[in-house]
Amino acid sequence: MEKEQLLESIDLFLLDLDGTVYVDDRPIGAMRATLARLRDLGKKLVYLTNNSSKTEREYREKLTRVGLFDARDGVYTSGMATIEYLNAHCAGRRVYLVGTDALKAEFRAGGILLDEENPEICVLAYDVGLTFQTMRRLDAFLRQGKPYFATHPDDVCPTADGSMPDVGSFIALFARSAGRVPDRIIGKPYSDMGEGLSRRFGVPAGRMCMVGDRMHTDIRFANNNGMKSVLVLSGETTAATMRDFPDVPDLVLPDFNAIF
Ligand SMILES: [Mg+2]
């Protein structure tokens, strides 16, 4: 697909963060100008992340700090998608949430009842303060057979000096200890997050384009949800490694500034 054709067919760009709009919190090239130009063309920009350790407000603040956020933009995290999923499908059920204090507050504000003693449902999010006590408690609830959700499947989270364990690694741990894998995973590349986006922003999937640097989450997400996709080679994937994956992006760019 040609760039011009893509730009014409898209109303909303979903922007992955690490490796796509910034690396180590530094915008990639002239990203500020590129995003400003897209807004001038009337395109809606939504920052999309699987990282459920931070809330919508924290991401708005962070993106404002690095100079990328505009009042017209949106933010959507796998934590937000999970809150919406629970409200739609498990309304009123008591939830044991493995997550940061900020995420717990976001869940409560979203109408989710949290319960550490006698929950009906377990949710594994990205708890960067995870303690053994929390692990032990989740393990016990899982062995009791309680429904089990995870916010996202990523094995590792990129950092300035390499990577750190992410929710996918903890899913593997509980698969060993409790013999359970999540009944459902909400974030990229799955469909609950895609449906949540269409609901929240009122744009059909076919008019959205996912821009990201990871084949197995970003590009798979677009293909699973009927969205267009742009793979950028400014992060994890190279022109050589993209061929290791079954998904094919609509467009491949060295970085997202090359959209113009
Ligand atoms: Mg990325």
Side-chain angles (χ1 to χ4, degrees):
M1 180 177 259
E2 300 296 323
K3 289 192 255 190
E4 295 73 19
Q5 201 187 345
L6 182 96
L7 277 169
E8 268 171 33
S9 66
I10 295 305
D11 297 325
L12 188 157
F13 282 92
L14 298 166
L15 304 171
D16 171 59
L17 299 177
D18 282 297
T20 299
V21 296
Y22 55 60
V23 170
D24 297 345
D25 299 353
R26 286 216 310 275
I28 294 169
M31 193 59 65
R32 283 172 201 157
T34 299
L35 300 185
R37 208 166 149 190
L38 284 168
R39 290 182 199 105
D40 288 346
L41 290 172
K43 308 301 181 188
K44 175 84 177 173
L45 305 181
V46 175
Y47 297 95
L48 187 72
T49 178
N50 264 358
N51 189 332
S52 57
S53 69
K54 293 193 178 73
T55 63
E56 177 179 16
R57 189 169 57 84
E58 288 174 313
Y59 270 113
R60 282 173 182 270
E61 286 167 1
K62 176 177 179 174
L63 286 160
T64 300
R65 218 161 43 234
V66 297
L68 291 174
F69 197 76
D70 180 276
R72 289 165 284 183
D73 299 346
V75 166
Y76 201 60
T77 70
S78 69
M80 295 162 68
T82 302
I83 292 170
E84 291 178 0
Y85 177 86
L86 292 172
N87 280 325
H89 301 279
C90 315
R93 314 259 317 258
R94 301 184 307 277
V95 173
Y96 181 60
L97 174 64
V98 175
T100 57
D101 288 343
L103 187 72
K104 287 177 184 170
E106 191 171 50
F107 266 58
R108 284 193 204 96
I112 308 295
L113 301 168
L114 299 185
D115 186 337
E116 304 223 319
E117 302 304 326
N118 188 26
E120 296 163 279
I121 291 172
C122 299
V123 174
L124 176 60
Y126 195 15
D127 183 359
V128 292
L130 187 64
T131 65
F132 187 77
Q133 190 191 12
T134 299
M135 290 165 57
R136 191 172 170 185
R137 194 176 285 251
L138 176 64
D139 178 77
F141 291 144
L142 295 183
R143 281 187 287 102
Q144 289 166 18
K146 296 188 193 272
Y148 171 28
F149 299 93
T151 53
H152 62 290
D154 304 49
D155 290 332
V156 296
C157 179
T159 72
D161 359 283
S163 66
M164 53 189 183
D166 201 338
V167 164
S169 298
F170 296 113
I171 288 173
L173 185 152
F174 293 107
R176 292 293 291 270
S177 71
R180 295 277 309 276
V181 292
D183 300 306
R184 200 168 188 99
I185 303 178
I186 306 297
K188 293 183 282 186
Y190 300 108
S191 58
D192 292 313
M193 199 166 190
E195 286 161 18
L197 282 161
S198 283
R199 228 177 11 241
R200 178 173 278 243
F201 296 103
V203 174
R207 302 285 300 175
M208 292 189 201
C209 176
M210 177 74 218
V211 184
D213 69 310
R214 276 179 166 176
M215 290 295 292
H216 59 292
T217 53
D218 299 320
I219 307 306
R220 172 70 55 83
F221 177 70
N223 290 346
N224 279 350
N225 287 280
M227 300 164 177
K228 298 281 190 304
S229 63
V230 174
L231 175 73
V232 290
L233 302 178
S234 47
E236 188 177 281
T237 309
T238 66
T241 59
M242 66 175 277
R243 290 187 211 102
D244 299 339
F245 296 89
D247 289 274
V248 179
D250 290 294
L251 195 62
V252 183
L253 298 174
D255 66 47
F256 192 46
N257 299 301
I259 190 71
F260 292 115

